[in-house]
Amino acid sequence: MRRHRVASGEVIAMNINELPTDAVYAQLGTSPGGVGDDEADARIHQFGYNEIKKARKTPLIYRFLAQFTHFFALLLWIAAGLAFLGEYLDPGQGMFHLGCFVVAVIIINAIFTFVQEYRAKRAAEALQRLLPSFVLVIRSGNEKKVNSRDVVPGDVVLLSEGDLIPADARVIEQYGLKVSNTSLTGESKAVKRSAEPTFEEEFVDNPNLVFGGTTVAAGSGKAVVFATGASTEFGRIAQLTQTVLPEPTPLQREIHKVTRIIAVIATIMGLVFYILGDIRGNAFWINFSFAIGIIVANVPEGLLPTVTLSLAMGSQRMAKRNALIKNLNSVETLGCTTTICTDKTGTLTENQMTARKIYANRKVFEVSGTGYEPEGDFYRDGTILTDQEIEELVPLLSTAALCNDASLVEDGGIPGILGDPTEGALAVAAQKAFDIDARRSENKRVSVLPFDSDRKRMTVVTESGGKRVAWVKGALDSLLPCCDRIMAGGETIELTAELRDEITETCESFARGALRVLAFGYREVGSGGYSVEDTEKDLIFLGLIGMIDPPRPEVSDAVRRCKDAGVRIVMITGDDSVTASAIARDIGIISDDPVVITGSQLKDMNHSELVERLEAEEIIFSRMTPEHKMRIVTALQERGEIVAVTGDGVNDAPALAKADIGIAMGIAGTDVAKESADMILIDDNFASIVSAIEEGRGVFDNIKKFVTYIFASNIPEIIPYIIFVMFPASVGYLVPLTIMQILAIDLGTDMLPALALGTEKPEPDVMNKPPRSPDKRLLDRALLARAYLFLGPIEALAAMSGYFWMLSKSGWASGALYVSDIAYRKAITMAQTAIVITQVANGIVCRTARGAVHRIGFFTNRLLLVGIVAEIALQIFIIYHPIGNTILNTAPIDISDWLLLIPFAVFLFVAEEARKAVMRHVRRSGNR
Amino acid sequence: MYRRILLAVDGSFHAEAAARYAIHLACACGAELFVVHMGESAAGRESVDRVVWYADSRGLDVHGIVETGAVVPAIEAIVRREQIDLTVASLRHFFKKTIIKDLMASLPCSLLAIRVAHLGRLTHLKKILVPVIGGMESDERAYLTSKLANVFKGTVTALHVRMVSRSGFMRLTHEKKDIARVHARKRVKEFVDTLSSYGVAAEIKTAIVSDATDAIVREAAAGKYDLIILGASRRDFLKQLIRGNPVERILEKAPCDVIVWRPVK
């Protein structure tokens, strides 16, 4: 039994990171010469290949075929089947054409819906791409190049700069080895690896471990593989990303529900009117075609493709506002978002450290300017410093410039930095006082004592004019004990206890203002070797510089808009609580006393406690890792929240996939995060999320607008049938509007204006309302009443008036009409034209749900204008072209006949605008 | 409950890695351990020697047995002869066409099949996940779970998996989910109570899903569990043909060690 050590009676818990090298070999059944080739083959059989298996996907063809079998489609199949059956049993009744039309509708719907749902989940492929194809291992004592798929636990992997690491492994030898875990954590800074046993509580935090999918940034080394394939950290994330079943979006649920409701209503109405006709003694085929007509008239055939296109148009508008939508359904979900879980750095802030305050010569100064732009001034008590006054800052700023590895660069005219952001901020601050390149040239670097996390200091020794000076910077608590004097008023005086207190208090006041503070000191040194102990002592304290990663200027306004819109913002950051709270307060996320939960507190918290704590209105999660996000998102969702989450690292991918809206950063985001997200922020800017929410809310309103538009025309399509069944003699024993005409309206003239309504911009008050409740119905009473009881009857009145007027004009008074009668053909043409003309007015009034149309401008929706023109052009074709006449049995009417119908459209417009005005007045009165 | 435990090894590294479960379990139960290898390979004999030495060093009453012949009938004979309560064997990353499958069908005692996946956390099993689908609970399962939790000082989470159809999933509201969770707690309560009687407190979680395998793997990955204890279930041919074997799929995908447990017949 290969074991490192055993204590009698107790299991000794030893992770691979806690073992010395020889025990690592023993535990993994290997040696410095690696495993043998035969053993490697055996281990492939035992542990499997080192690969991340892709989730099984439903083949595309099945997904396409599924579009023909959903409830909505099944209903239309039945209608088509009945029509074909009718044609077979009694040819020549036009049933064949009807059947073909319905089948065409099913196919069009299927294609559109399939395109909508077709979204390749490529996260697994993206993860797979991060694994190398070949790696160098030691097997049977020899170096060997093997396919990364064949790497097994116990393999000794050779690592060198630029290599992709094939699996999770324990480092056993290293020479300046640094790895970049960017692909795993999003952290861009390379981290050192060691070969010594380490004892970090969190397994992945141990610096003697390397993980599959990450890269060797510098140095070289050897590591023994302990986990492959699905057992690696990458494998775990892949499982999470692939197996997270996204919750159906509120709109998907609603459409699911609406289609069933409509289908049931249509079927019941069809059956009821069939039975009524039968009771009245109508012929079977009349009742039969009537029933199908009722069903077809009631089913809004264009609904699904119109919803799809509306979402697509919404996503296009979002793209213009820097939010790239990957999943169309997410567009509307954004409108329901109740909580945004956002990162801080780079999303709420600029991700550009900037020096804001300076303490030097026992005085506090302010620094102006933003980001890495080396323009700005120095102030004291609100007064700008003169060049002479700036001189007293020069020793401090010189230290900031010389004890600094960052340099200032320009990329396409945009100022930037090369190096650590904090050092970059110091260089920029110094550049505002003098030319740092010239200063660095004058002071040649002689030696460097690099920063390390134990002593928290960095020292640079420079030489100028034969004089050598050690410039030191570091955290105040580590630097102040190294100082015995202070520069004040141009003189060097003793650093007394009072002065130390003053410095400490100043530092604390800077920190309370969310500033990251560094202290600076210097001393003259002799030539020779420079050890930490001999150099970083007896320093002269120069002062403090406080820096901040400032909030993006547009974020405060975006936060305010979120609050107005009833959307809660939860900050999840890796920063400490003080910094996180200060930034959150600065930009308005918190105002009172927020609940602050740290990473370690969250770790000790059980699920129900977390759910309970999330009730707080203002909450900040500090010192969080991406791992924690998934927990927070799950808990929020269990509270019934619709959650949007931002993320950039691979570790964020599961939370992004789990969230209702996963938002990946376009600039800082890894490929895997982008693959898992529903939306990508092109500019990484929080304000773009808020803009996207505004668009999302507009989409639901728009869907309601065109549903109202489509439903309103159902009434004038049904009323003629009802009159025909109830009072057949009054309409000449023929239907005043044929089934083919209904289809021509629903799938022809109505289509473009309906689509155009989906492109309406959000109404101005859309962000002044709370988020739409997921329980709020698309087909609510108000919508149905507006469409069926108000707009629809006006259109029906127009249609029937047109029909009777034309019959009267043609001299018909009573008696049976024939399908081929010119009077009948003109009359049905008139009825259809009446519907089309009133639908033009309907399209215009449907542009707003509450506000007056003239307030948003009559010509602001160009697509609607195009749609109206196309609608009228198609109707002209139907009336005046022989092909249109043949298909729909229509006949040309006079221009004067059109003029008769226009007053109905005007009446509809005026009546609806008056209704809206009354509703606004009632609402205002209610608010008072 | 387990007084005599049989551990089958085949000379592979994987089987030795899995052997530690049997040894620690035997320690926890105060059981006698029989380390068995069927065959004549030197690797197998050496493996038996190492395991016996290690178990002996832990103060166990341990016996090494090396025999030849057909594996399954021979092990079955040893089980009957030695009145074994529990047989432990290693399981690869698949289940189909393995000797374990045949052992599960024939052995009269309880059986643990262990798949070791992560060698970096050996004997550091802080988090144990016990999926509960339906109501297939028993005192023995709670006993086994409690012994493993105690020996590794791990915490236990009982995951109740409630299956719904895909269209049912579409219709689920948060209210319905809350009701399902309450219902699930009742279903798992018996198991948790038994576990509690063995001195182990368990957290209860509920997953309402259309795919139980995905839910278990997802929870194991998200919660960074170190071990999954699965109950083996007999599936008829048709069910297996249509929906596949969930154990097989979990073995393939799980990011941690997996124990498949089949109770005594």
Side-chain angles (χ1 to χ4, degrees):
Chain A
M1 189 75 181
R2 298 157 179 127
R3 289 286 304 168
H4 167 52
R5 63 188 168 109
V6 175
S8 58
E10 270 292 304
V11 172
I12 298 296
M14 295 291 278
N15 275 345
I16 200 81
N17 52 289
E18 297 167 349
L19 302 173
T21 307
D22 57 338
V24 170
Y25 288 129
Q27 177 142 319
L28 298 174
T30 186
S31 67
V35 292
D37 288 326
D38 292 344
E39 178 64 13
D41 285 344
R43 289 191 185 190
I44 286 177
H45 287 293
Q46 291 158 17
F47 293 94
Y49 285 106
N50 177 39
E51 62 186 359
I52 295 162
K53 292 210 167 126
K54 294 170 194 168
R56 280 184 306 172
K57 288 177 184 166
T58 312
L60 281 184
I61 184 69
Y62 289 150
R63 285 163 66 184
F64 181 62
L65 290 176
Q67 306 303 331
F68 294 93
T69 55
H70 62 75
F71 193 69
F72 212 51
L74 287 177
L75 190 83
L76 291 174
W77 278 123
I78 293 168
L82 290 173
F84 288 128
L85 182 69
E87 178 67 23
Y88 174 74
L89 297 173
D90 188 11
Q93 298 293 326
M95 287 291 165
F96 179 75
H97 285 116
L98 175 61
C100 289
F101 263 106
V102 177
V103 170
V105 169
I106 298 168
I107 292 170
I108 291 167
N109 261 332
I111 291 170
F112 271 113
T113 319
F114 173 70
V115 170
Q116 171 191 338
E117 289 184 0
Y118 177 64
R119 183 174 68 109
K121 273 277 202 186
R122 288 171 299 175
E125 286 89 335
L127 284 166
Q128 196 67 54
R129 279 201 299 275
L130 289 170
L131 296 178
S133 50
F134 285 94
V135 288
L136 210 54
V137 299
I138 299 176
R139 279 191 186 166
S140 306
N142 301 315
E143 284 186 19
K144 198 173 174 184
K145 207 173 196 179
V146 299
N147 192 317
S148 76
R149 188 171 177 261
D150 297 330
V151 168
V152 293
D155 264 333
V156 178
V157 183
L158 299 171
L159 304 171
S160 54
E161 194 171 323
D163 283 354
L164 273 165
I165 296 165
D168 292 2
R170 161 70 202 273
V171 178
I172 46 166
E173 262 182 54
Q174 64 87 21
Y175 307 97
L177 184 66
K178 281 185 172 183
V179 294
S180 168
N181 287 338
T182 309
S183 56
L184 197 64
T185 61
E187 174 61 60
S188 56
K189 206 172 174 182
V191 285
K192 275 187 188 170
R193 297 290 92 175
S194 85
E196 301 305 314
T198 56
F199 302 90
E200 294 294 330
E201 195 181 342
E202 196 61 45
F203 186 66
V204 293
D205 290 344
N206 283 287
N208 58 9
L209 304 180
V210 291
F211 298 99
T214 61
T215 52
V216 178
S220 60
K222 287 180 188 173
V224 189
V225 173
F226 61 80
T228 57
S231 307
T232 61
E233 284 300 304
F234 255 70
R236 192 176 63 80
I237 292 165
Q239 292 301 348
L240 274 176
T241 311
Q242 289 177 3
T243 58
V244 165
L245 182 63
E247 300 267 338
T249 67
L251 185 64
Q252 278 175 312
R253 284 183 209 271
E254 195 53 33
I255 295 292
H256 187 80
K257 199 171 282 177
V258 163
T259 51
R260 274 161 174 71
I261 292 171
I262 294 172
V264 170
I265 292 173
T267 311
I268 291 172
M269 283 181 73
L271 285 172
V272 166
F273 283 99
Y274 175 87
I275 294 165
L276 280 177
D278 197 47
I279 292 168
R280 284 192 59 85
N282 291 341
F284 170 78
W285 289 111
I286 292 173
N287 292 332
F288 185 68
S289 64
F290 175 68
I292 292 178
I294 286 286
I295 292 170
V296 174
N298 266 289
V299 172
E301 291 86 357
L303 180 64
L304 294 184
T306 311
V307 167
T308 309
L309 285 172
S310 173
L311 292 170
M313 286 166 182
S315 75
Q316 279 176 17
R317 286 199 303 273
M318 286 179 182
K320 286 180 189 162
R321 301 174 81 169
N322 292 323
L324 200 63
I325 288 288
K326 284 178 60 202
N327 176 5
L328 274 188
N329 282 309
S330 312
V331 173
E332 197 280 323
T333 311
L334 269 167
C336 307
T337 301
T338 56
T339 301
I340 304 172
C341 295
T342 177
D343 293 326
K344 182 185 78 67
T345 307
T347 311
L348 295 170
T349 64
E350 300 265 17
N351 198 16
Q352 292 188 351
M353 289 297 275
T354 311
R356 277 273 175 268
K357 285 191 172 180
I358 292 176
Y359 170 78
N361 276 331
R362 302 186 62 195
K363 297 173 203 162
V364 174
F365 301 87
E366 287 86 39
V367 191
S368 68
T370 53
Y372 297 137
E373 178 79 49
E375 302 291 329
D377 295 305
F378 297 90
Y379 294 81
R380 173 151 167 75
D381 297 332
T383 311
I384 195 164
L385 300 191
T386 62
D387 287 350
Q388 203 174 359
E389 287 169 324
I390 289 174
E391 281 302 314
E392 63 180 316
L393 297 177
V394 168
L396 172 65
L397 293 172
S398 294
T399 315
L402 297 174
C403 184
N404 192 326
D405 289 331
S407 52
L408 305 182
V409 291
E410 262 200 15
D411 185 10
I414 300 167
I417 59 131
L418 273 182
D420 180 77
T422 307
E423 292 201 325
L426 295 174
V428 170
Q431 183 73 22
K432 288 172 184 172
F434 49 77
D435 181 0
I436 62 165
D437 287 338
R439 188 62 51 105
R440 285 174 176 175
S441 304
E442 289 162 13
N443 295 270
K444 297 284 180 206
R445 223 178 235 211
V446 178
S447 178
V448 178
L449 298 170
F451 177 87
D452 74 52
S453 53
D454 290 332
R455 64 183 226 284
K456 296 182 193 163
R457 292 187 300 272
M458 173 185 176
T459 297
V460 169
V461 179
T462 63
E463 185 179 277
S464 176
K467 195 170 73 176
R468 291 191 174 189
V469 178
W471 311 94
V472 189
K473 74 164 188 269
L476 182 68
D477 58 352
S478 77
L479 188 131
L480 198 55
C482 303
C483 301
D484 58 4
R485 288 158 292 162
I486 179 171
M487 187 172 274
E491 291 179 4
T492 305
I493 58 172
E494 189 190 348
L495 189 56
T496 60
E498 290 76 29
L499 284 170
R500 285 178 194 272
D501 288 346
E502 179 186 302
I503 292 165
T504 308
E505 277 169 28
T506 308
C507 182
E508 284 171 358
S509 75
F510 280 12
R512 279 195 296 276
L515 297 179
R516 183 172 183 183
V517 189
L518 281 179
F520 299 83
Y522 83 106
R523 70 183 279 248
E524 288 187 17
V525 290
S527 56
Y530 299 103
S531 66
V532 169
E533 293 75 22
D534 294 337
T535 311
E536 294 175 349
K537 67 172 188 180
D538 306 333
L539 299 174
I540 301 167
F541 185 82
L542 286 170
L544 305 167
I545 297 181
M547 291 152 287
I548 191 170
D549 177 11
R552 288 172 179 269
E554 60 277 39
V555 160
S556 294
D557 181 53
V559 168
R560 185 188 51 72
R561 284 166 63 207
C562 267
K563 288 200 162 180
D564 290 346
V567 179
R568 184 165 65 142
I569 302 167
V570 175
M571 186 198 273
I572 303 176
T573 174
D575 284 350
D576 61 87
S577 307
V578 176
T579 310
S581 301
I583 286 283
R585 189 163 280 114
D586 192 24
I587 57 182
I589 289 179
I590 57 170
S591 51
D592 303 325
D593 192 20
V595 171
V596 180
I597 297 175
T598 62
S600 53
Q601 286 171 334
L602 182 67
K603 208 171 161 189
D604 296 335
M605 207 177 273
N606 68 33
H607 190 66
S608 46
E609 267 180 277
L610 175 61
V611 172
E612 201 177 304
R613 296 293 293 275
L614 284 168
E615 270 180 27
E617 189 55 38
E618 294 182 342
I619 188 161
I620 290 174
F621 290 91
S622 64
R623 291 275 179 223
M624 291 287 147
T625 64
E627 307 285 331
H628 294 127
K629 273 189 189 168
M630 180 88 165
R631 269 193 77 187
I632 298 167
V633 170
T634 308
L636 282 166
Q637 285 179 327
E638 281 184 17
R639 285 176 41 79
E641 309 260 11
I642 305 288
V643 187
V645 175
T646 66
D648 47 22
V650 170
N651 265 0
D652 287 329
L656 293 176
K658 174 74 178 155
D660 298 284
I661 297 285
I663 303 169
M665 298 298 132
I667 300 168
T670 56
D671 284 351
V672 179
K674 288 176 189 168
E675 295 280 359
S676 305
D678 302 295
M679 184 171 109
I680 297 168
L681 282 189
I682 296 166
D683 58 354
D684 291 9
N685 190 342
F686 179 82
S688 302
I689 303 176
V690 184
S691 303
I693 288 177
E694 188 178 349
E695 290 292 348
R697 290 189 173 189
V699 165
F700 189 77
D701 284 348
N702 286 351
I703 293 172
K704 289 189 90 164
K705 285 169 193 169
F706 66 66
V707 169
T708 309
Y709 175 81
I710 290 168
F711 276 27
S713 68
N714 283 352
I715 297 297
E717 289 165 358
I718 293 169
I719 294 288
Y721 275 97
I722 295 173
I723 295 173
F724 162 68
V725 171
M726 308 301 286
F727 312 105
S730 67
V731 291
Y733 299 97
L734 283 177
V735 188
L737 193 71
T738 66
I739 294 164
M740 300 300 277
Q741 284 179 298
I742 290 172
L743 290 172
I745 293 167
D746 287 352
L747 297 173
T749 53
D750 269 3
M751 196 57 106
L752 268 183
L755 286 178
L757 286 172
T759 68
E760 281 293 337
K761 288 178 185 164
E763 290 187 46
D765 63 346
V766 76
M767 289 298 272
N768 295 332
K769 297 182 293 182
R772 177 176 74 80
S773 161
D775 298 329
K776 190 175 177 188
R777 302 275 72 90
L778 182 63
L779 290 185
D780 56 14
R781 280 184 203 163
L783 184 149
L784 292 173
R786 184 183 177 196
Y788 284 162
L789 301 179
F790 193 78
L791 298 169
I794 296 173
E795 293 190 15
L797 179 70
M800 292 315 298
S801 300
Y803 180 81
F804 287 121
W805 186 83
M806 184 54 81
L807 284 181
S808 166
K809 185 183 169 187
S810 306
W812 179 85
S814 63
L817 289 164
Y818 294 95
V819 172
S820 56
D821 279 355
I822 191 69
Y824 173 70
R825 290 176 61 197
K826 281 190 172 186
I828 61 171
T829 306
M830 199 65 180
Q832 184 182 350
T833 308
I835 296 172
V836 169
I837 287 179
T838 48
Q839 276 291 80
V840 170
N842 185 23
I844 294 168
V845 294
C846 279
R847 289 184 62 201
T848 59
R850 300 165 294 273
V853 172
H854 70 270
R855 288 197 182 276
I856 61 168
F858 284 105
F859 305 106
T860 47
N861 186 340
R862 287 185 188 170
L863 196 61
L864 181 65
L865 298 177
V866 172
I868 290 171
V869 170
E871 181 180 12
I872 294 169
L874 182 58
Q875 185 59 19
I876 288 171
F877 175 83
I878 289 168
I879 299 172
Y880 299 106
H881 198 281
I883 295 175
N885 295 161
T886 307
I887 296 173
L888 298 171
N889 198 32
T890 51
I893 54 173
D894 298 335
I895 300 297
S896 58
D897 299 332
W898 286 74
L899 295 176
L900 177 85
L901 300 172
I902 288 172
F904 287 100
V906 174
F907 173 65
L908 185 144
F909 178 85
V910 173
E912 172 62 6
E913 287 302 291
R915 187 195 66 81
K916 284 183 206 168
V918 171
M919 294 304 292
R920 286 196 299 273
H921 179 72
V922 169
R923 189 167 296 170
R924 274 200 299 271
S925 306
N927 288 343
R928 278 190 218 118
Chain B
M1 193 171 275
Y2 300 136
R3 309 306 307 168
R4 297 163 80 84
I5 297 176
L6 184 150
L7 168 66
V9 292
D10 60 3
S12 70
F13 171 69
H14 188 266
E16 276 190 55
R20 76 185 194 281
Y21 281 99
I23 292 168
H24 295 315
L25 196 58
C27 283
C29 299
E32 219 176 315
L33 184 68
F34 296 80
V35 185
V36 176
H37 172 66
M38 300 303 301
E40 294 175 344
S41 73
R45 287 171 183 277
E46 286 167 16
S47 189
V48 170
D49 289 345
R50 277 194 298 269
V51 175
V52 166
W53 171 81
Y54 176 65
D56 187 50
S57 74
R58 304 293 313 273
L60 278 177
D61 187 2
V62 58
H63 314 277
I65 300 173
V66 178
E67 288 188 8
T68 54
V71 176
V72 177
I75 289 180
E76 190 180 344
I78 296 171
V79 165
R80 293 186 189 283
R81 186 179 72 218
E82 302 293 344
Q83 296 180 313
I84 298 293
D85 304 309
L86 175 72
T87 295
V88 181
S90 71
L91 183 59
R92 294 173 182 181
H93 61 106
F94 56 89
F95 187 59
K96 223 167 20 183
K97 294 179 184 170
T98 59
I99 287 176
I100 291 285
K101 202 175 173 192
D102 296 335
L103 288 174
M104 281 209 173
S106 63
L107 292 189
C109 63
S110 301
L111 194 140
L112 280 192
I114 299 163
R115 175 234 174 185
V116 174
H118 201 293
L119 296 166
R121 292 183 182 133
L122 281 175
T123 66
H124 201 77
L125 308 172
K126 288 193 295 185
K127 296 181 78 178
I128 300 173
L129 182 68
V130 187
V132 181
I133 307 170
M136 42 175 253
E137 290 324 308
S138 74
D139 184 57
E140 188 185 342
R141 192 182 201 192
Y143 173 80
L144 172 71
T145 306
S146 70
K147 287 297 172 195
L148 287 170
N150 282 329
V151 79
F152 295 119
K153 294 188 167 44
T155 58
V156 177
T157 301
L159 175 71
H160 185 271
V161 184
R162 189 179 165 89
M163 304 273 286
V164 289
S165 66
R166 266 197 175 265
S167 58
F169 187 79
M170 287 284 284
R171 287 195 297 271
L172 272 182
T173 60
H174 286 284
E175 291 74 27
K176 283 183 182 170
K177 280 185 183 173
D178 285 341
I179 294 166
R181 279 191 198 99
V182 172
H183 182 67
R185 281 178 187 281
K186 286 180 190 162
R187 297 288 293 270
V188 183
K189 196 172 178 302
E190 193 187 337
F191 172 70
V192 172
D193 287 347
T194 316
L195 209 52
S196 175
S197 71
Y198 288 119
V200 174
E203 189 187 0
I204 300 175
K205 282 193 175 179
T206 310
I208 304 164
V209 290
S210 58
D211 187 321
T213 310
D214 278 355
I216 294 166
V217 172
R218 184 166 61 243
E219 179 59 30
K224 291 190 172 181
Y225 286 87
D226 301 302
L227 175 67
I228 302 173
I229 302 177
L230 279 179
S233 61
R234 190 173 275 277
R235 297 172 80 80
D236 60 53
F237 176 74
L238 193 64
K239 210 169 177 182
Q240 190 145 327
L241 193 72
I242 295 169
R243 305 194 65 172
N245 187 338
V247 171
E248 191 80 61
R249 287 167 59 203
I250 291 170
L251 284 174
E252 188 185 29
K253 292 174 164 184
C256 59
D257 292 2
V258 179
I259 286 181
V260 183
W261 164 77
R262 195 220 66 191
V264 63
K265 281 184 175 176

